Amino acid sequence: MSKEEGKQILQKDKKDVPPRLHIRYIIVVMCCVANAFNFFTRTNWSIVILSMKHAFDWDMKTQQAILGAIYYGYSVTPMIGGWLVGKYGGFPVLLSTVAVSSLIALLSPLAARCGIGLLISSRIIDGFGQGMVYASTIGIIAKWSKLNELSTFVSITTSGYSVGAIASSYVSSLLTTSTFLGGWPSTFYIIGIAGIIWCLCWWIVGSSDVTNNRWISEFEKESITTSRPIAQDTEVYNIRWKKLAISAPVWSICIYCIGDDFGLYLLGTDMPIFFKTILHFDIEMSGFLSCIAQITFFLTTIFGGIIADKLIYQTKIKKIHVRHFFACFCLGLQSILLILIGYISYDWIAAILMIIAFGLYGVCTSTICANALDIAPNHSALVIGIAFTFSGVTGFIGPAVVGAITEIDNTLIQWRSVFWIAAGVQAAGLLQFLVFGSAEIQEWAKSADNSTETSSLIENSSRCKDRSK
C-alpha cells in the first residue's frame, strides 16, 4: 500500500477537516503495549519461579539472584537509550529492544535447562534492552502529545507496566499450574510470540514523531505542532552536558526515582513471595492478589494523569504544586503503609494494605515522569534515561536486601526490617524533591531559539487554560 492510499483510507488529508482516526491515540496505545510487554517479561518471573525452584532445586538466594539479574543490565542502558532516542528517534530504538527481548523470552526455558549461569546471563542481556524501552516511549510521547495532554499521555503510556503485570499475574499463574507446553515454559513462549506480533504492528504504524508518520492527517499534524513548544527538527542530541550535570531539578528527579523504584521493584518482584511465604496464600491466590494490586496501580496511573492535567490547565494551581501534591500522596502515604504492614499479623488486612500501597506507586507517574517533560521537553527521554540509570540499580539491590535478610529466617519480623528500609529510602527521595524539584523549563534544555519557544510555551499554556474555562 502506498503512502497516499494509506492516508485516503484512514484520514481526510485536509488541514481544516478533523481526521476519522487520530493516529496519536494509536501511538500512545502502542507505547503502552510496549511497556506492558516490558513489564510482563519481568513480573512473569515472580510467578513462574515458584514452580521453577522445585524443578531445578533453587534455594532462596539463587531465586533472588535470578530475579535481580535483569536489573544489572537494566541499570546501565536507560541513559544510553535516552541519548539514542535523541539522536536517532524513538521508533528504531523501541523496535529493536522489544525484538531482542522477545527472542530472549522464547529462549529462556532452554537457558534454564542449560544452567544457572546461562540463565542469569540471558536475564542481564534482556535488561540491557529493556532499560531503553521506557525512555523510548517518553521520547515518542514528547513529540506526539499536545501540551494539555501531556500528563494524561505519559500516564497512559506508563500504565502499560500495570497492564503487563496484570496479564502476567493471571496468565502466568494459569499457565504455570497447567500442562500446556510443559506448564511454566509456556509463559515464555506466549510472551515471545506476542512481542514479535507487536514489532510487526509497530513497523507498520509507528514513527518517532508526527513529521515522519505515513498515516497522520495534516489536520492532526498541525494541531500537535502548534500546541507543543517543541520544535520537531530540534537537534536534541546537541546537549549542554555540563549544565545538565549540575542541574538541581535533574538530580531531584533522579533521587526521587531511586526512592520510588526501590519500593516499586521490591514489591513488584517479591510481593507474590510475601503473599505465599508470610501470609500463607497458595500460588493461585498469590497470583490473584498480585493481579488486584496491579489493577489498583493501573487505575491510579490513569486517573492520576487525567486529574493532574485538569488541575494544571483548568485551575490556578501552579504546576510544581500539583507535582508536589502527587509526590506526597504517593511516596509519603505509601511509606506509612509499608511500615504498618510489618506489624500486622492478620493475613487479609496485611494483603489489603499491601495492595493499596502498591497501587499508590501509579500516582508517581503524574509526578516524576511528567516532570521530566516539564523541565526539559526536548531532552525528556535523556532525563528519564539518566534517572532510570540510577534508579535501575535498586532493581537488584531490593531483591538482594530481601534475600540477605530472609535467607536464614523468613518471617514477618525479617520483612518488617525490609519495609522500614524501603520506607526510609522513599522518604528521603520525597523530601529532596519537595526542596529541589521544579516545573520550569531549564535554561540548559532550551534550543537556540529558546526565547521563541519559551514564549510559545507560555502562550500555549494560557490558551489551554482559557479554553477549559
Side-chain angles (χ1 to χ4, degrees), residues 256-307:
Y256 185 95
C257 277
I258 291 173
D260 174 55
D261 286 352
F262 185 90
L264 177 62
Y265 291 149
L266 189 149
L267 293 190
T269 301
D270 290 298
M271 185 164 50
I273 295 176
F274 180 80
F275 284 149
K276 185 176 187 297
T277 61
I278 302 301
L279 303 185
H280 307 295
F281 296 113
D282 58 26
I283 292 180
E284 290 189 21
M285 181 56 70
S286 297
F288 173 76
L289 292 173
S290 298
C291 182
I292 296 298
Q294 294 293 344
I295 292 174
T296 306
F297 182 98
F298 172 79
L299 293 175
T300 58
T301 301
I302 294 295
F303 287 106
I306 295 173
I307 293 171

Side-chain angles (χ1 to χ4, degrees), residues 133-144:
V133 171
Y134 190 68
S136 301
T137 59
I138 289 296
I140 291 168
I141 292 304
K143 298 295 182 70
W144 274 93

Side-chain angles (χ1 to χ4, degrees), residues 256 297 300-301 304 325-327 329-330 359-368:
Y256 185 95
F297 182 98
T300 58
T301 301
F325 170 77
F326 278 93
F329 188 73
C330 173
L360 287 174
Y361 284 114
V363 181
C364 290
T365 302
S366 307
T367 304
I368 212 62

Side-chain angles (χ1 to χ4, degrees), residues 267 271 274-275 279 293 296 333-334 336-361 419:
L267 293 190
M271 185 164 50
F274 180 80
F275 284 149
L279 303 185
T296 306
L333 180 57
Q334 204 273 345
I336 295 173
L337 290 176
L338 276 183
I339 293 172
L340 289 176
I341 292 170
Y343 292 90
I344 294 176
S345 57
Y346 297 98
D347 294 347
W348 279 104
I349 295 177
I352 292 171
L353 291 181
M354 179 72 80
I355 290 170
I356 296 173
F358 187 82
L360 287 174
Y361 284 114
F419 293 145

